[in-house]
Amino acid sequence: MLAPPANTPTISPAEMQILISRAGLALNPGQMADLVLAWRQVAGLIATIPRDRPLVDDMALVFRPNPPAEPEPEAKPVARPRAKRVGKPA
Amino acid sequence: MKKSVPPFLTIAEASRLIAERALSPVELTRALLKRIEAANPGLNAYVLVTAKHAMAAARAAEKALAAGQSGPLLGIPLAYKDIYETAGVRTTAHSKILIDNVPKQDAETVRRLHAAGAVMLGKLATHEFAIGGPATDLPWPPARNPWDTRRFTGGSSSGSGAAVAAGIALGALGSDTGGSIRLPAAFCGIAGFKPTPGLVSRRGVIPLAPSLDTAGPMAWTTEDCAILLDAIAGHDPADPASVSVPLPSFTQGLNAPLKGLRVGVLRRFYEHDAPVSPEMRRMMTDASATLRDLGCIVEEARLPAVQDFNAVGRVIISAEAYALHEATLRTRLADYSRVFRIRVLAGALVRAADYIGAQRRRTDLIAATREVLRKFDVLICAPTADVAPPLAEQRPDDGFARPLVTTVANVAAVPSLVVCGGFNAAGLPMGLEIMGAQWNDATVLRVGHHFERATTTRERRPVL
């Protein structure tokens, strides 16, 4: 594997063990050694990603609400049965 | 109908012969199944051959044909990377984890192909869950390259690349998160197309990193990819990333001339960011000249460095893939391959702030790419440093060490095609990558089609 860039954040094996336990994983020593090497690469990549974007740039990262549903055609008012006139009002 | 089936057919050729009643879907399928039986033990392209299913579908296609139905995929034998769900047919992602997984329904793309009359030959090898590299600690061996079986196919759509190149499937479906359609296309000398995200449904395709995953076609020619894309493209409300856009016919536009098309050559990619072999460099020079001869205006173009795209893509893939597999990793860690664990476990340590930082940076890279693609219709580059390397040289702990040019198109969310750009002195294929602006999938395919017609790369097949 390539060596990680110089600005890679360091993490000790003990710290890594704590993080892995918190993730609910139980790794044997060989798997742990693989993870240390893999993490060095990923940490190196993270270190190269610039973070100097203005806060205001992120209005909504990826959230896209659905467009509003088409309004349903207005329902025809149901004709009310006329109340029977019992008699002329007085 | 003729009794003998030509040894190699493209989808377009087979479709024409079927329509003319010069070839029967049953004869074609039977011939393909025979070839699979003979060639697959040396290639490991298929993890499952669905012979009975295929013959039944071929007979149904023949009946439909007799009843007057027609269509470019009627009776065409295809195969699917084993991360595409297939109703009643085991779908394993090439992993012990899903060894008994029998889906109840087809992936939307598979459903559309079958509705168009395609015949499923079987399920194809992949890297485990579409990530990592060839592994020997899985239930099935890795696929081998038909041009030289000691060599790597590229991945993760490894079986798709091998099967199409060997002529044991006329076309295939692959998936592409960082280059998984286009790398095997390059190493196996075929055409592989990663569409604009949202054009093709991913419903029923086992995900790797949903914000980068795309589903797409792989075939011997770009024309065949366009035929497949015509069938599988289109809005699917059940895939949240699917977009409802007016669809062109991807095949009808293929022959429109290229005169005046602006082609940007990403020279810095292959000379500096991800340096290539002298033969690959010559191929790029020749490809530029071919496009110029076709009437294109060819100039140098510049995008941000490959490494910038790779950092973003790889952090996103690690975090998302880990999140999807976390529950199973806790209980069945040893059932995953070592190469999968190396690629994915580091995602457990990626902080939310780092993941969001990668997504924010992605928006910058998308904007930068869009800006360059205002000046150019397509961009071309070398997708790999050289031809397919020996399989024995693939190390599980290579991880993310090497720059990967193909990931640029995933991060930038643009369509990208790899075609065979030529052959090296040893007769191994070299890929040429063509990228375009979002939703300009038809232009990318048109350039690939003209390039293939202007060269002789489609005349040479691997000798098995």
Side-chain angles (χ1 to χ4, degrees):
Chain A
M1 288 193 183
L2 294 180
N7 56 350
T8 302
T10 55
I11 180 167
S12 72
E15 287 167 331
M16 190 172 281
Q17 188 62 62
I18 291 168
L19 291 170
I20 284 297
S21 302
R22 279 183 59 187
L25 297 164
L27 305 188
N28 66 32
Q31 291 163 347
M32 199 66 194
D34 280 346
L35 177 61
V36 169
L37 290 173
W39 172 246
R40 277 189 196 155
Q41 285 185 348
V42 175
L45 295 170
I46 289 170
T48 66
I49 297 175
R51 303 289 182 87
D52 52 355
R53 289 162 55 96
L55 277 176
V56 76
D57 272 5
D58 287 317
M59 289 161 280
L61 197 58
V62 284
F63 179 66
R64 285 191 203 95
N66 288 327
E70 290 277 310
E72 286 189 16
E74 213 169 287
K76 259 189 172 176
V78 180
R80 273 188 168 181
R82 270 190 191 169
K84 272 187 183 175
R85 280 187 180 175
V86 180
K88 279 186 178 177
Chain B
M1 292 198 186
K2 275 184 194 166
K3 284 291 166 206
S4 66
V5 176
F8 291 111
L9 283 171
T10 65
I11 292 174
E13 289 164 351
S15 180
R16 197 171 44 247
L17 291 173
I18 287 171
E20 290 166 358
R21 307 290 198 274
L23 178 66
S24 121
V26 168
E27 285 165 12
L28 177 61
T29 302
R30 195 173 285 132
L32 265 290
L33 288 170
K34 263 193 179 169
R35 266 181 237 148
I36 293 169
E37 208 179 317
N40 196 53
L43 295 173
N44 309 322
Y46 282 82
V47 293
L48 182 70
V49 179
T50 52
K52 270 190 190 167
H53 193 290
M55 288 309 296
R59 277 191 284 271
E62 204 141 291
K63 261 192 189 169
L65 198 66
Q69 287 181 38
S70 62
L73 289 173
L74 186 59
I76 299 294
L78 306 174
Y80 313 127
K81 181 176 185 176
D82 202 22
I83 63 167
Y84 281 77
E85 289 205 324
T86 39
V89 175
R90 194 184 67 190
T91 302
T92 67
H94 209 122
S95 177
K96 270 180 214 153
I97 304 295
L98 294 182
I99 202 157
D100 298 318
N101 176 44
V102 179
K104 289 197 175 70
Q105 58 179 10
D106 287 330
E108 175 60 13
T109 38
V110 170
R111 189 194 67 74
R112 290 182 190 210
L113 290 172
H114 291 175
V119 171
M120 176 175 74
L121 292 168
K123 306 299 289 291
L124 297 165
T126 165
H127 298 338
E128 188 178 27
F129 287 107
I131 192 170
T136 50
D137 50 353
L138 287 173
W140 301 274
R144 292 178 173 276
N145 195 316
W147 295 92
D148 176 351
T149 53
R150 291 163 302 176
R151 290 180 184 268
F152 184 33
T153 52
S156 63
S157 308
S158 49
S160 306
V164 169
I168 54 175
L170 268 56
L173 291 179
S175 68
D176 196 314
T177 307
S180 286
I181 284 176
R182 293 160 293 146
L183 292 168
F187 286 161
C188 295
I190 65 167
F193 184 60
K194 182 205 91 66
T196 300
L199 183 65
V200 174
S201 170
R202 303 162 311 162
R203 175 155 57 107
V205 183
I206 295 167
L208 170 62
S211 62
L212 294 168
D213 289 342
T214 42
M218 299 169 76
W220 183 249
T221 64
T222 300
E223 182 185 21
D224 285 358
C225 283
I227 292 171
L228 292 168
L229 192 62
D230 273 340
I232 61 176
H235 184 230
D236 174 12
D239 175 353
S242 177
V243 181
S244 176
V245 285
L247 287 180
S249 161
F250 295 101
T251 41
Q252 275 178 12
L254 286 176
N255 289 316
L258 297 187
K259 193 167 168 53
L261 206 83
R262 299 159 304 166
V263 176
V265 183
L266 296 166
R267 193 182 308 280
R268 205 195 54 205
F269 274 17
Y270 60 87
E271 285 187 350
H272 178 267
D273 297 353
V276 300
S277 68
E279 284 178 301
M280 288 292 289
R281 197 180 285 204
R282 263 198 301 280
M283 182 275 295
M284 285 304 302
T285 307
D286 292 348
S288 301
T290 301
L291 292 171
R292 209 172 273 126
D293 290 347
L294 287 166
C296 299
I297 301 155
V298 182
E299 289 170 5
E300 185 170 350
R302 279 197 168 211
L303 282 178
V306 171
Q307 283 75 3
D308 288 355
F309 289 92
N310 279 192
V312 164
R314 288 164 174 184
V315 170
I316 291 172
I317 290 171
S318 292
E320 292 188 7
Y322 175 77
L324 293 178
H325 286 273
E326 186 181 53
T328 325
L329 282 164
R330 281 178 182 162
T331 53
R332 299 184 62 186
L333 185 67
D335 284 342
Y336 286 94
S337 64
R338 181 173 174 229
V339 63
F340 179 93
R341 290 195 302 262
I342 288 174
R343 289 290 178 99
V344 173
L345 270 180
L349 307 176
V350 175
R351 301 176 314 139
D354 297 328
Y355 173 75
I356 299 289
Q359 289 285 14
R360 294 174 81 198
R361 177 66 180 147
R362 186 184 182 196
T363 62
D364 296 337
L365 295 172
I366 288 173
T369 308
R370 188 180 295 140
E371 204 50 43
V372 173
L373 281 162
R374 283 205 178 101
K375 294 177 207 139
F376 295 97
D377 297 295
V378 294
L379 302 171
I380 61 167
C381 58
T384 60
D386 206 347
V387 296
L391 203 48
E393 280 178 14
Q394 299 302 301
R395 293 167 48 90
D397 59 358
D398 260 356
F400 292 133
R402 294 177 196 166
L404 206 51
V405 171
T406 49
T407 302
V408 170
N410 301 86
V411 171
V414 296
S416 172
L417 170 74
V418 162
V419 294
C420 183
F423 294 86
N424 75 351
L428 294 168
M430 298 184 286
L432 168 71
E433 183 170 359
I434 305 161
M435 288 184 262
Q438 283 171 3
W439 307 112
N440 275 354
D441 301 64
T443 306
V444 172
L445 291 167
R446 181 156 63 102
V447 174
H449 177 62
H450 278 272
F451 179 83
E452 285 172 350
R453 308 260 315 240
T455 59
T456 57
T457 63
R458 298 303 72 204
E459 291 166 15
R460 203 190 292 195
R461 286 274 193 170
V463 180
L464 296 173

